[in-house]
Amino acid sequence: MTNFAQLGLKPEILKALDKKGYTTPSPIQASAIPPVLEGKDILAAAQTGTGKTAGFVLPIIHQLSGAPSQRNPRALIITPTRELAAQILDNIKLYSEFLSLKSMVAFGGVNIRPQIKALASGVDILVATPGRLLDLIEQGACKLSSVETLVLDEADRMLDMGFIRDIRKVVKLVPKKRQNLLFSATFSKEIRSVSEEFLNNPTIVEVAVQNATADKVKQLAYRCDNTAKTKALIQLFSDHELSQVIIFTRTKHGANRLSKNLEEAGIKSAAIHGNKSQGARTRALSDFKSQNIKALVATDIAARGIDIASLPFVVNFELPNIPEDYVHRIGRTARAGKEGTAISLVSNDERPFFSSIQKLTGNKIPLEDIDGFIPENWPDRAPTEKEVMKAAEQRKQEARKGRSGGGGGGGGNRRSGGGGRSERGGNSDRRNTRRR
Ligand code: AMP
C-alpha cells in the first residue's frame, strides 16, 4: 500500500489528508483501515504515536458520511483520559473538514450542560471518557441505540484505571449488532478476555511490537542520587540543550515540587496531573504546545496519549516501577517517524526498575555519568529479583504514605493498590461531577 487513495477512502477525506500533508498510510493505518471498511471487528495492538487514531477515525467517517445522520450518535469512541478524548476530537474535525458530520467530545471536570445541549442538537460521532458518558446516559441526555461502531481506545489503560465495569454498562446499552474496534498498546491476557467478551470474530491487527516505539528513541540513562536529581536535571537542560521536554515524576506532589524548582532555576515549567483542575491542565498543555513553557512535569496517567508534534525530549526524573510505563513514557517522543531522545535519571534504589525496563524492552542501556553528579556509593552488582520486589513494595508504601499525608502519592503504583483512584478521578471525571 503506497497511498491513501488506494485504501478507497472518499475524495473529501483524501482532500483533508492532503491538506494536512499526509500521503502515506502508517503501517497500522494500512492494516486496520481495509478490515474496518469491510465492516469487520478489529483487535489492534498499537501504541500512541503509530497513527492509530486515524486508523479508526478515517474508516469511521468514510462509513458515516455515506448514510443519513440520526439524532443519536452512530459512532461512539471511548477513551481513558480527557486529553486523549480532546485529541481524538481534533483528529475527527481535521479529517472530516470536507464532510458534513457532527462530532463532539464529552468528559468530566467541566460543566455538563453544554454537553447535554450539544447532544440534544444531534451528533454523529461522540468521543467520551467512561464516567461522564455514564452520567450523560443516566441524565437521559445521551442514547446509544443508534451506535453502529464502538471504539474502545487505549483499552489496556482503561482496564488499568478500573473502567471495565463502566465499559460493561455502556456495552449493554449499544445495539448487539454493531462493529467493534478495540485498540490496545499490548495484548495482555485481560485484553484478550475483554476482546472475547465484546468483539465478534475480530481481525487481529498487530503491527507494533511492545517496544516498537522505543526502537526509534535514543535512550540515555545517568546514575544520579535522588537528592541530586533536581540539580542534575537543570544541568541537563544546558548540556543537552533541552528545548521542549516532558518530565515524568512518580507522584503528583513530586511533579508540583519539581515544576516549582525548575521555575526558580529560570526554566519555564508547569505540572500536569490528576489533582489539577481541568482548566489548569488544558492551559498547561496548550502553553506547552505553543512553546510558552519548556518543561511539562507530568505523572504517568496525566501524560497518557498526549500528542505533541515533534517533541524532542522525554526525561524520566524517576523511573516507573511498572516497566510498560517506561515504554509509554518514551513513546511521547519520536512520534510519526521523528527523532527523539529519552533521558532517565537512575538512583541506586531504582536499579531494580531499570533492570526490569531493560528486560522488557530488550535494550541494553548503558548507565553513564553526568559531570559533577557521580554518586559516591554505587554497588557493583546488579540487583536481585528479591530486591526488585522489595523496592517495588517500598515505593508502594511511600506512595500510600504520601496519599494519607495529603496530596502526594499516586501515579506510579496504581496497578498494585489504590494509587490509581485519585488519578482516575482527576482524569476521567465521574466523581467530580457526582460530588458537586
Ligand atoms: P496517533 O498514534 O494517532 O496519536 O498519531 C501520532 C501522530 O502521527 C499524530 O500527530 C498524527 O497526526 C500523525 N499521523 C497520523 N497518521 C499519519 C500519516 N499517515 N502520516 C504522517 N503522520 C501521521
Side-chain angles (χ1 to χ4, degrees):
M1 187 62 58
T2 52
N3 61 46
F4 280 110
Q6 286 165 290
L7 290 171
L9 295 166
K10 295 205 157 151
E12 293 86 346
I13 301 175
L14 297 177
K15 189 172 161 192
L17 285 163
D18 190 50
K19 189 173 166 193
K20 179 75 187 160
Y22 297 164
T23 48
T24 317
S26 71
I28 185 78
Q29 291 161 1
S31 315
I33 293 172
V36 180
L37 286 176
E38 280 173 37
K40 290 192 174 132
D41 280 9
I42 64 165
L43 169 61
Q47 294 167 344
T48 46
T50 53
K52 72 182 167 73
T53 315
F56 59 81
V57 168
L58 298 178
I60 286 177
I61 60 173
H62 174 97
Q63 283 164 325
L64 293 185
S65 61
S69 289
Q70 311 277 327
R71 215 178 74 87
N72 296 313
R74 291 182 289 152
L76 172 64
I77 299 163
I78 308 180
T79 191
T81 68
R82 299 169 187 173
E83 282 77 11
L84 204 47
Q87 262 170 214
I88 294 171
L89 183 75
D90 288 346
N91 274 251
I92 296 170
K93 297 263 187 222
L94 178 82
Y95 301 130
S96 62
E97 185 187 343
F98 305 106
L99 297 168
S100 51
L101 287 172
K102 280 168 108 177
S103 49
M104 68 167 275
V105 66
F107 52 67
V110 294
N111 193 339
I112 197 167
R113 255 168 273 144
Q115 296 172 3
I116 295 176
K117 217 169 139 199
L119 280 162
S121 69
V123 58
D124 296 298
I125 309 171
L126 173 63
V127 187
T129 51
R132 178 56 64 95
L133 177 63
L134 285 175
D135 283 343
L136 286 163
I137 292 168
E138 277 166 25
Q139 295 194 24
C142 178
K143 295 214 168 34
L144 303 183
S145 50
S146 305
V147 170
E148 294 160 20
T149 308
L150 173 69
V151 181
L152 299 176
D153 186 36
E154 307 244 340
D156 49 346
R157 191 52 55 143
M158 290 206 277
L159 295 189
D160 289 346
M161 291 167 76
F163 284 139
I164 184 68
R165 284 175 55 206
D166 289 352
I167 291 168
R168 281 206 182 98
K169 280 189 201 160
V170 172
V171 170
K172 279 208 184 100
L173 298 170
V174 293
K176 277 213 165 60
K177 194 173 165 302
R178 60 172 193 270
Q179 185 177 27
N180 300 289
L181 317 177
L182 188 151
F183 285 78
S184 170
T186 52
F187 279 171
S188 62
K189 234 173 43 211
E190 289 78 19
I191 286 294
R192 286 189 188 274
S193 113
V194 163
S195 147
E196 272 166 33
E197 190 179 336
F198 300 139
L199 275 53
N200 176 25
N201 192 22
T203 301
I204 312 271
V205 178
E206 199 168 7
V207 291
V209 290
Q210 204 158 42
N211 63 346
T213 315
D215 287 344
K216 285 185 281 150
V217 183
K218 183 173 171 200
Q219 297 174 70
L220 300 172
Y222 296 107
R223 304 192 300 165
C224 190
D225 285 333
N226 281 321
T227 49
K229 280 190 174 180
T230 303
K231 283 197 173 137
L233 174 64
I234 291 165
Q235 178 158 321
L236 287 177
F237 265 90
S238 50
D239 286 358
H240 286 269
E241 293 172 6
L242 299 185
S243 44
Q244 228 206 348
V245 55
I246 292 187
I247 302 166
F248 286 94
T249 60
R250 281 188 300 114
T251 68
K252 301 168 204 170
H253 191 58
N256 286 340
R257 199 173 41 221
L258 181 60
S259 174
K260 195 165 158 265
N261 290 339
L262 291 176
E263 280 279 332
E264 280 164 9
I267 297 164
K268 286 197 138 244
S269 162
I272 184 168
H273 53 67
N275 281 0
K276 294 264 178 191
S277 70
Q278 188 54 39
R281 284 163 59 169
T282 308
R283 207 163 41 244
L285 199 56
S286 79
D287 278 350
F288 189 61
K289 285 187 175 176
S290 61
Q291 305 196 5
N292 282 338
I293 57 172
K294 246 183 165 179
L296 189 66
V297 188
T299 54
D300 286 284
I301 295 187
R304 177 76 175 162
I306 290 176
D307 177 34
I308 290 153
S310 66
L311 175 71
F313 296 101
V314 165
V315 168
N316 293 303
F317 186 74
E318 290 154 324
L319 288 186
N321 53 357
I322 299 157
E324 284 85 358
D325 280 347
Y326 175 85
V327 179
H328 290 309
R329 286 179 178 191
I330 72 169
R332 304 300 92 228
T333 182
R335 292 161 76 78
K338 299 213 171 76
E339 303 260 300
T341 304
I343 301 175
S344 300
L345 294 177
V346 185
S347 60
N348 185 43
D349 63 311
E350 290 175 312
R351 286 170 77 190
F353 306 125
F354 190 56
S355 301
S356 322
I357 287 165
Q358 296 189 87
K359 219 179 201 171
L360 174 80
T361 59
N363 290 332
K364 188 99 194 82
I365 313 163
L367 261 179
E368 298 173 61
D369 288 322
I370 308 169
D371 278 350
F373 293 93
I374 302 170
E376 279 180 18
N377 298 312
W378 192 268
D380 286 339
R381 66 168 183 80
T384 63
E385 196 72 20
K386 209 168 151 197
E387 284 164 334
V388 172
M389 305 298 290
K390 199 171 153 208
E393 184 54 36
Q394 263 170 4
R395 280 201 167 175
K396 222 157 79 182
Q397 282 173 3
E398 256 172 47
R400 267 193 214 115
K401 257 191 244 152
R403 275 198 307 283
S404 57
N413 74 333
R414 66 197 165 278
R415 267 168 251 185
S416 41
R421 295 182 59 212
S422 52
E423 278 280 32
R424 187 201 144 177
N427 265 295
S428 128
D429 52 62
R430 216 149 182 222
R431 295 178 311 144
N432 292 354
T433 52
R434 288 273 148 84
R435 280 186 176 168
R436 212 173 289 136

